[in-house]
Amino acid sequence: MNETLLKISGLKADADGKEILHGIDLEIGPGEVHVLMGPNGAGKSTLGNALMGHPSYEITGGRILFGGKDITDESVEMRARDGLFLSFQSPVEIPGVTVADLIRTAAEALTGKRIFLADFRKRLYEKMDFLRMEREWAQREVNVGFSGGERKKAEILQLLMLEPSLAILDETDSGLDVDAVRTVSAGVEAFCSDGKKSLLIITHSARILEELKVDKTHVLVDGKIVDEGDAGLAASIIQDGFTRYEKA
Amino acid sequence: MKQKTFVDDINRELYDFRYEEKDYFRVRSGLDRAVVEEISSEKNDPQWMHDFRLRSLEIYNRMPVQNWGPSIDGLDMDNIVTYVRPNTGMSAKWSDVPDEIKETFEKLGIPKAERQSLAGVGAQYDSELVYHNVRKEVEEQGVIYTDLESALHGPYQEMIRDHFMKLVPPTDHKFAALHGAVWSGGSFVYVPAGVKVEIPLQSYFRLNAKGAGQFEHTLIIVDEGADLHFIEGCSAPKYNVANLHAGCVELYVRKNAKLRYSTIENWSKNMYNLNTKRALVAEGGSMEWVSGSFGSHVSCLYPMTILEGEEASMNFTGITFAGEGQDLDTGVKVVHNAPHTTSSIGTRSISKSGGVSTFRSSVQITARAKKARASVSCQSLMLDEISRSDTIPSMDIRTGDADIGHEARIGRISDEAVYYLRSRGLSEEDARAMIVTGFCESVSRELPLEYAVEMNNLIRLEMKGSIG
């Protein structure tokens, strides 16, 4: 790829006055699948949230370019409207708001257009069938009483419905049983099947990567990218862990 | 998927428009025997009602103002006009209603609602009903829905006399006494035994006059095995002087009968809303309250249900939204006075911009009420640091085998939830409005659709500019 979709340069981010990211450089092109790995506490989720614009993280240095536009100071919702999506590790409950309500309201906010109910419902049901979700799911309250697997499926349903240009998946596959991982993986694969959508996958496991063509792996330790490689790097880390990056 | 999420924002002007009072009849402001005599004679009261008014006035004069709850010091009865009659009689034909009044109700959507989904409508403008209409098929079932004044002179006068202010006597509190002295307008509904009224009846109360009081009386009797849904809506334009609403609602639910009473109240924020509502439920009867309180400067509103017969039940679903300058003191009272009676109270309250929202619940279970069951659940949401929310429960249980539950939660909008919705493209304001709308969903789903739409509009309106 000769153009860049996401270009992070020298990104530093603080939480509660403590620097967590110490200058990150990372580039993702259209249609590329990147994997971000790292031990617990390395700053992987912080990077995801800093990219999405979480108000609790303060960007203290560097820049984020998305589609050629500097979004470093942009609001969360503007980044979403630019085409950025974050699948949350632990998505919150929104009592009284149904999954269908959330997705339709989001789709309208993202496109600035009204979406007809019949069209919306048809598409929603297609995606739900694909993810093997019961249709009454659409009328459940967002994440209320959902199991871990159900929460992740609901995130992937949003991903498929909202069609961002870059999705960050924050441990979308962790804590799931085999069937759920398979469903989630199929959803992620479907998302990038047109070869234009990009992914940044934060993960510890190989299963979600099995059906995907990984273009690049980044290793984050203590808030810094310490290694980069191809799909083989991800595979070897999954096998051997991060001991090779431990300080002597 | 609910349609209500996608309605457009309304403009506050929808409620704030007002008309000149042309050729209206007003009594002078303040309250004394002469004023009450004048109202009584204007209304052509039967003798007993005339006497009842004067007795109520005496009670009013000697009763102290309540020494608890929000301050009502801003209310000076000397400045309140207790009776304002628009320059028209009551009409059963919409085309006969004077233009400006017609326009008022058309802006509020009343005739449209009637055409679409109501069995009958009464519309009160200031102190008198100006329009009243019941569908023919409902009338043919023997359902009586009329203004109370006509009922006082018609074939049901004895029934009125037997029930009027018997549940809420003038001695109940000072503003009940005031109501007894100056009441005007309101509705009388009688549903004969076994009759199920399929679609709701509705009354809409509009207080247009400046510095005036509205004292409508609603008396509903649902006879054995009958079934009714009654809706009331209230609104008023804003003035810079105090207005007063001291209505009274008395509901009689006979054996195995069912009554649902829904209210959406959006009085303007200069209103003192000191309203009294009470229901008496006989054996096997069921009383359901749905209540949305959005408006008024000060509200004191504690609908009470007396479960008098075995297996009588009560369900209350309510929401209160207190914004800037509002002190909304609401609650629910229930008395279990028979075995196997059940009650369930579920409320939501929201306070923002310094608004005060207080919820009082009172559950009384007498020694007679063996195996009674009662549950109270109230949740409050405070939208900022300067608002206030209080929950004051009271329980008096005189039997050993009652099953009682109580749950109260006070919370704030979670920053993580706002972030989550913003990451899906919603603006911060829309994210917060969506969370609040969701918080209210358990109430809005109980409302008829057009009221659910109105309530969600009100929430969105209240949430505008609430970020800070």
Side-chain angles (χ1 to χ4, degrees), chain A residues 49 52 54 75-77 80-81 85-86 88 92 95-97 100-102 104-106 108-109 114 117 121 139 155 158, chain B residues 1-2 4-8 414 416-428 430 434-435 437-439 441 445:
Chain A
N49 279 311
M52 198 71 238
H54 194 303
S75 66
V76 184
E77 56 269 33
R81 291 171 200 173
F85 179 92
L86 174 62
F88 286 75
V92 294
V97 176
D101 264 349
L102 167 64
R104 189 166 155 198
T105 308
E108 292 188 328
R114 218 163 239 218
L117 181 58
R121 197 174 274 164
Q139 296 307 323
E155 293 291 287
Q158 293 176 50
Chain B
M1 199 72 202
K2 280 165 222 130
K4 66 191 188 196
T5 314
F6 300 98
V7 291
D8 291 325
S414 128
E416 286 304 311
V418 174
Y419 169 54
Y420 183 75
L421 293 178
R422 291 177 71 196
S423 82
R424 299 304 185 243
L426 278 71
S427 68
E428 185 171 354
D430 287 345
M434 185 174 226
I435 292 165
T437 307
F439 176 78
E441 202 274 338
R445 74 169 166 235

Side-chain angles (χ1 to χ4, degrees), chain A residues 165-214:
Chain A
S165 48
L166 171 65
I168 305 159
L169 308 185
D170 190 358
E171 303 206 12
T172 299
D173 54 338
S174 66
L176 303 187
D177 62 31
V178 180
D179 277 350
V181 172
R182 197 172 294 139
T183 309
V184 163
S185 302
V188 173
E189 198 193 337
F191 166 70
C192 56
S193 60
D194 70 353
K196 292 178 190 147
K197 314 264 172 47
S198 306
L199 280 170
L200 176 61
I201 304 175
I202 302 172
T203 186
H204 290 291
S205 92
R207 287 180 302 189
I208 196 170
L209 306 178
E210 274 166 13
E211 304 294 329
L212 297 170
K213 188 187 125 329
V214 174

Side-chain angles (χ1 to χ4, degrees), chain B residues 17-298:
Chain B
F17 64 90
R18 53 198 181 205
Y19 291 98
E20 294 298 315
E21 298 158 44
K22 274 184 296 190
D23 309 320
Y24 284 14
F25 174 81
R26 276 177 161 244
V27 295
R28 64 182 159 77
S29 60
L31 186 62
D32 54 29
R33 187 178 170 114
V35 165
V36 174
E37 292 273 14
E38 192 179 2
I39 293 172
S40 183
S41 115
E42 277 297 319
K43 298 183 72 67
N44 193 22
D45 277 341
Q47 187 62 41
W48 73 267
M49 184 57 81
H50 167 267
D51 299 346
F52 188 94
R53 287 183 189 276
L54 292 179
R55 267 203 319 278
S56 299
L57 178 65
E58 282 167 28
I59 297 165
Y60 172 82
N61 283 333
R62 65 166 195 261
M63 267 188 120
V65 176
Q66 64 197 39
N67 58 1
W68 53 276
S71 163
I72 52 169
D73 292 347
L75 177 67
D76 181 353
M77 274 314 291
D78 290 341
N79 293 329
I80 294 284
V81 179
T82 50
Y83 182 74
V84 181
R85 187 183 61 217
N87 183 24
T88 177
M90 193 183 73
S91 174
K93 266 165 77 189
W94 188 248
S95 54
D96 294 343
V97 175
D99 285 345
E100 62 189 39
I101 296 177
K102 201 153 58 184
E103 266 176 50
T104 300
F105 286 111
E106 270 166 7
K107 282 183 187 174
L108 296 166
I110 306 309
K112 194 162 155 245
E114 178 188 3
R115 281 195 298 273
Q116 287 168 350
S117 59
L118 297 168
V121 161
Q124 176 159 344
Y125 197 79
D126 294 332
S127 298
E128 294 288 354
L129 264 82
V130 293
Y131 173 68
H132 215 287
N133 190 30
V134 189
R135 284 200 194 179
K136 204 159 164 267
E137 61 267 31
V138 177
E139 213 163 41
E140 281 167 0
Q141 286 180 296
V143 174
I144 307 297
Y145 179 28
T146 180
D147 63 301
L148 204 53
E149 284 84 349
S150 310
L152 269 175
H153 296 283
Y156 288 86
Q157 49 181 297
E158 283 309 309
M159 195 183 261
I160 309 288
R161 195 171 175 172
D162 289 345
H163 295 88
F164 182 85
M165 293 200 83
K166 290 287 181 348
L167 266 183
V168 182
T171 47
D172 205 73
H173 57 87
K174 191 172 180 74
F175 292 93
L178 173 66
H179 179 90
V182 300
W183 76 271
S184 177
S187 302
F188 169 63
V189 181
Y190 174 70
V191 185
V195 170
K196 312 247 184 260
V197 184
E198 301 286 338
I199 48 175
L201 297 175
Q202 182 185 42
S203 273
Y204 202 97
F205 302 104
R206 174 77 178 174
L207 181 50
N208 182 69
K210 183 176 175 177
Q214 193 168 58
F215 306 94
E216 86 288 349
H217 194 95
T218 303
L219 175 58
I220 299 179
I221 300 169
V222 186
D223 217 331
E224 292 192 5
D227 190 333
L228 175 70
H229 183 186
F230 191 87
I231 304 172
E232 64 171 7
C234 323
S235 73
K238 172 123 173 103
Y239 292 105
N240 54 6
V241 298
N243 277 34
L244 170 64
H245 175 240
C248 181
V249 175
E250 295 182 290
L251 310 172
Y252 294 86
V253 182
R254 302 285 194 230
K255 188 175 170 183
N256 296 327
K258 188 175 167 193
L259 172 60
R260 169 174 274 228
Y261 196 91
S262 303
T263 306
I264 279 277
E265 173 271 299
N266 188 33
W267 294 119
S268 56
K269 290 175 184 172
N270 57 313
M271 182 71 84
Y272 286 82
N273 181 37
L274 313 174
N275 209 17
T276 312
K277 300 180 177 182
R278 202 159 291 172
L280 181 69
V281 188
E283 181 186 337
S286 154
M287 177 69 219
E288 293 176 10
W289 303 89
V290 181
S291 173
S293 300
F294 291 87
S296 84
H297 170 49
V298 168

